[in-house]
Amino acid sequence: MSELDERLAAVRAGVADAAHTAGRDPAEVTTIVVTKFQPISLIRELAALGVRDIGENRHQEAQAKAAELADLDLRWHFVGQLQSKKARQVRAYAAAIHSVDRESLVDALRSDEASVDCFVQVNLTDDPGRGGAAPDELEALVEKVLGTPGLSLLGLMAVAPLGEPARPAFARVREMSDRVRALAPAARFLSMGMSHDYREAILEGATHLRIGTAITGNRPTAG
Ligand SMILES: *Cc1c(COP(=O)(O)O)cnc(C)c1O
């Protein structure tokens, strides 16, 4: 087994374990491997190990990787902050956009073409620079997504705040998800949980984990 294989197996076991603890079927949890700053060769290795869902957080890098790996049957998840002027380009390769956080971005994603899956990102901090809509803006933003052609709302996405326990933060997202489902019953999915907090996320109902370093190892360059 390669180190990559070992780390992937360890995370898969951790996901299954947390799901069982939560009384959930591990099959309802999708693990997206976040490969920002990682080389194309690593994504090929992941694909050979059965990984299908790949996450990236910068448009140019994601676009180049998706083009270069078009021979593989990968689903690309855009998880980073998204500039409105790049929105149409991201639509072209992304299977899902996890970072819809403002009405102007929803307008930029409007399309008469096939719908792209998306999550509304909620900000769990008071710092607007962290991305995500404020919790009190959620309903309006969800209504906006529902009324915009070309977008299919899966649910909510969040990043746990630094310096506080992750589980209560994820519990808040679960409560917000109940509010969202009153407006959009199908939007029941939750994108939350990263390398250090995916177990807590699963316990609070996460359906899409975004895991980088626990699987890939350290990122090659800071950025
Ligand atoms: C980088 C990143 C991740 C993965 O982070 P790790 O700590 O490496 O697991 C998840 N979500 C987003 C939005 C990211 O930018």
Side-chain angles (χ1 to χ4, degrees), residues 34 36 57 79-80 157 159 194-196 210-214 219:
V34 179
K36 61 192 182 205
N57 74 337
V79 304
M157 180 275 218
V159 176
M194 304 174 25
S195 289
H196 298 291
R210 307 178 313 272
I211 301 185
T213 52
R219 286 184 267 276

Side-chain angles (χ1 to χ4, degrees), residues 32-37 55-57 78-81 98-99 121 157-159 191 193-198 209-217 219:
I32 299 159
V33 184
V34 179
T35 53
K36 61 192 182 205
F37 303 113
E56 289 284 338
N57 74 337
F78 192 83
V79 304
Q81 291 187 32
H98 292 238
S99 44
Q121 182 180 353
M157 180 275 218
V159 176
S191 168
M194 304 174 25
S195 289
H196 298 291
D197 55 24
Y198 71 84
L209 312 174
R210 307 178 313 272
I211 301 185
T213 52
I215 293 173
T216 63
R219 286 184 267 276

Side-chain angles (χ1 to χ4, degrees), residues 4-37:
L4 184 65
D5 203 353
E6 280 173 18
R7 285 190 300 261
L8 181 62
V11 168
R12 283 178 171 155
V15 169
D17 190 56
H20 286 130
T21 302
R24 300 179 57 200
D25 180 354
E28 60 182 56
V29 181
T30 300
T31 298
I32 299 159
V33 184
V34 179
T35 53
K36 61 192 182 205
F37 303 113

Side-chain angles (χ1 to χ4, degrees), residues 44-123:
R44 285 201 182 277
E45 284 179 64
L46 287 167
L49 296 171
V51 171
R52 284 286 163 273
D53 291 277
I54 299 289
E56 289 284 338
N57 74 337
R58 297 185 306 167
H59 163 60
Q60 278 188 323
E61 181 179 346
Q63 184 183 46
K65 285 173 168 173
E68 199 155 340
L69 294 169
D71 58 308
L72 300 178
D73 182 24
L74 297 174
R75 284 185 293 268
W76 295 90
H77 296 257
F78 192 83
V79 304
Q81 291 187 32
L82 179 51
Q83 289 175 271
S84 295
K85 64 182 181 191
K86 307 286 188 202
R88 297 202 77 76
Q89 294 180 60
V90 171
R91 275 190 69 95
Y93 58 81
I97 299 172
H98 292 238
S99 44
V100 173
D101 64 357
R102 59 196 188 280
E103 299 200 9
S104 57
L105 178 57
V106 176
D107 283 328
L109 287 165
R110 169 184 289 267
S111 171
D112 294 327
E113 291 160 25
S115 288
V116 65
D117 286 340
C118 70
F119 293 86
V120 163
Q121 182 180 353
V122 57
N123 188 349

